[in-house]
Amino acid sequence: MPKMKTHRGAAKRFKKTKTGKIKRFRAFHSHILEKKTPRRKRRLRSATLISKSDQKRVAKLLPY
């Protein structure tokens, strides 16, 4: 059986942490920032973990 390929779109959006969890960046921080509060923009800068329900699906796209 051939080696699995990494999904390149997913590889650009997600990173695996040392413990094996999957980290993602938040949406809504690229434009139309004037009406968003500084607190909201600050929170959008920080990364977060993906939801538990998506963990298995994304892990399939990133085999290595």
Side-chain angles (χ1 to χ4, degrees):
M1 192 164 178
K3 290 199 291 186
M4 284 181 68
K5 286 192 174 183
T6 299
H7 189 287
R8 297 315 295 164
K12 292 166 189 175
R13 289 169 173 82
F14 305 108
K15 298 279 176 260
K16 279 188 181 170
T17 63
K18 196 171 181 179
T19 57
K21 294 173 185 164
I22 299 170
K23 187 170 75 168
R24 70 170 174 87
F25 294 98
R26 295 176 193 267
F28 309 110
H29 192 62
S30 56
H31 61 111
I32 316 176
L33 299 174
E34 205 168 274
K35 60 178 139 182
K36 295 172 186 161
T37 64
R39 177 177 181 236
R40 183 176 170 195
K41 289 188 278 190
R42 197 164 52 243
R43 288 184 170 209
L44 289 171
R45 277 201 301 262
S46 64
T48 184
L49 298 175
I50 64 169
S51 65
K52 197 178 175 189
S53 55
D54 291 328
Q55 199 108 27
K56 198 184 281 186
R57 280 195 307 165
V58 177
K60 255 185 208 177
L61 300 174
L62 304 170
Y64 305 108

